[in-house]
Amino acid sequence: MSGFFQRLQGLEPRRQQAFMAALCERLLPNYALYAQTAGQGNPAGLRAILDLVWERLAIAGAKIDFERQAEKLAELAPPEGDDSFGARRATEAVAALSALLDTLQGEAPEAVLEVSRASRGGVRAFIELTEGEEDGERLAALVREHPLMEDENDFQDAALEAVEEGVLGRDALKALRRLGHNEGVSNLGLSAD
């Protein structure tokens, strides 16, 4: 995995941002599901902020106040007292988008690693929740070999390869966004539709 993280850190900031945006796309349905079940949150608000990020990636000179967007985003986080599984996954989506906004406002060298790890961490937590395995070693093996974790790793590899290749123009960004959107299915294999 360390080679993967080295490649991520070696990317220029815009390519890192595109990678993070793709991961955020896949985290959005988790937030939407939380909003549906808990009756709070604002998926459209999150969607609008991520759309602005994609716009900035596509149009370098796009004038967007990302400080203001970060303030709006902070208001969309689940309440701190909510420790439910859904709230934790929704919080991951907000935190990932927040880390991405940090990079658009200045230096945030660890952000790309944070987003990558948060996405994998959510998958790990979901597998731990659904498999109910007590034995730590068996659970670690289960997580590693689980189809959802394989899918997550494959997705992150594909996203990294996509941002490493050639010119990151409009078409490449559209393809990356489609990859991240994953037909509305999140990294946990869940859909809010």
Side-chain angles (χ1 to χ4, degrees):
M1 198 58 71
S2 61
F4 177 87
F5 289 130
Q6 281 170 333
R7 283 165 61 199
L8 263 185
Q9 282 196 295
L11 293 170
E12 62 181 8
R14 183 168 169 269
R15 291 178 187 270
Q16 288 184 348
Q17 289 160 356
F19 175 85
M20 289 187 277
L23 267 63
C24 286
E25 281 290 341
R26 263 178 54 117
L27 294 173
L28 238 50
N30 295 336
Y31 182 93
L33 275 169
Y34 166 75
Q36 272 177 15
T37 54
Q40 51 194 6
N42 178 358
L46 227 62
R47 169 82 272 152
I49 294 169
L50 186 53
D51 286 347
L52 289 173
V53 171
W54 285 111
E55 187 182 325
R56 163 57 75 78
L57 288 168
I59 307 160
K63 291 275 179 264
I64 298 164
D65 182 352
F66 282 111
E67 202 172 313
R68 176 72 193 107
Q69 296 308 316
E71 288 167 15
K72 284 185 189 171
L73 181 62
E75 293 164 15
L76 300 177
E80 282 190 18
D82 189 345
D83 195 34
S84 67
F85 184 82
R88 290 201 299 269
R89 303 294 75 84
T91 300
E92 267 164 16
V94 171
L97 190 46
S98 179
L100 174 50
L101 292 180
D102 287 346
T103 68
L104 290 158
Q105 296 175 78
E107 288 295 300
E110 294 295 307
V112 72
L113 301 182
E114 285 169 28
V115 173
S116 171
R117 289 187 183 122
S119 188
R120 283 185 221 272
V123 174
R124 184 179 308 109
F126 185 70
I127 295 167
E128 288 172 0
L129 179 80
T130 53
E131 296 297 335
E133 174 60 67
E134 298 298 316
D135 181 306
E137 257 175 62
R138 276 207 302 267
L139 183 59
L142 245 172
V143 167
R144 260 194 319 277
E145 292 153 17
H146 198 282
L148 278 176
M149 187 56 84
E150 286 178 2
D151 184 56
E152 175 68 13
N153 291 333
D154 290 347
F155 167 73
Q156 288 205 24
D157 286 341
L160 178 57
E161 283 164 23
V163 298
E164 282 177 329
E165 286 169 12
V167 180
L168 202 52
R170 257 178 210 279
D171 289 345
L173 286 168
K174 274 189 187 143
L176 184 63
R177 188 173 183 170
R178 259 196 317 277
L179 178 73
H181 184 258
N182 196 31
E183 293 171 7
V185 177
S186 82
N187 61 336
L188 307 182
L190 304 173
S191 167
D193 300 336

